[in-house]
Amino acid sequence: MRKEDDFVVCRCENVYYSDLLEIMEDGANNSREIKLKSRAGMGFCNSRTCGPLLEAMTGDNSNELPHYVHLKSQPPLRTISLLDLARGNNDD
């Protein structure tokens, strides 16, 4: 049962703040582990929305620790229909 003050951190994968806290209590100590265990940051936006909060929760937002690789985010690809793909239409 979710608490009244709980909120969605990752809208793409519907991950709640309480879920992330439970994962951290189970031993995840960086945002990459949280991402892999909760799927937060693996949705359509590729952690552009929830990534900064994940890094702030774990303290991974500082550049002082060289052993950590920051969460990767990339822009979504433009969709193409199968019909355009079959015709070979590439307007780029």
Side-chain angles (χ1 to χ4, degrees):
M1 190 86 179
R2 304 228 183 263
K3 295 180 180 178
E4 291 178 9
D5 58 347
D6 201 7
F7 59 94
V8 175
V9 172
C10 179
R11 294 177 290 179
C12 301
E13 295 292 329
N14 199 30
V15 178
Y16 284 82
Y17 184 71
S18 62
D19 299 334
L20 299 178
L21 291 178
E22 287 177 20
I23 290 170
M24 289 179 71
E25 288 174 3
D26 289 341
N29 59 3
N30 64 43
S31 53
R32 178 158 171 75
E33 287 181 27
I34 292 175
K35 180 179 179 178
L36 293 174
K37 292 180 180 182
S38 70
R39 294 202 45 86
M42 293 187 179
F44 184 72
C45 78
N46 286 314
S47 76
R48 284 190 307 277
T49 303
C50 61
L53 179 61
L54 293 176
E55 290 180 344
M57 286 177 66
T58 58
D60 290 337
N61 52 358
S62 74
N63 292 325
E64 296 176 8
L65 302 173
H67 68 277
Y68 175 73
V69 178
H70 291 284
L71 291 177
K72 178 185 171 199
S73 64
Q74 62 190 36
L77 300 174
R78 189 183 76 192
T79 58
I80 183 171
S81 71
L82 291 175
L83 183 61
D84 286 341
L85 185 62
R87 290 183 186 155
N89 292 345
N90 50 356
D91 298 330
D92 295 339

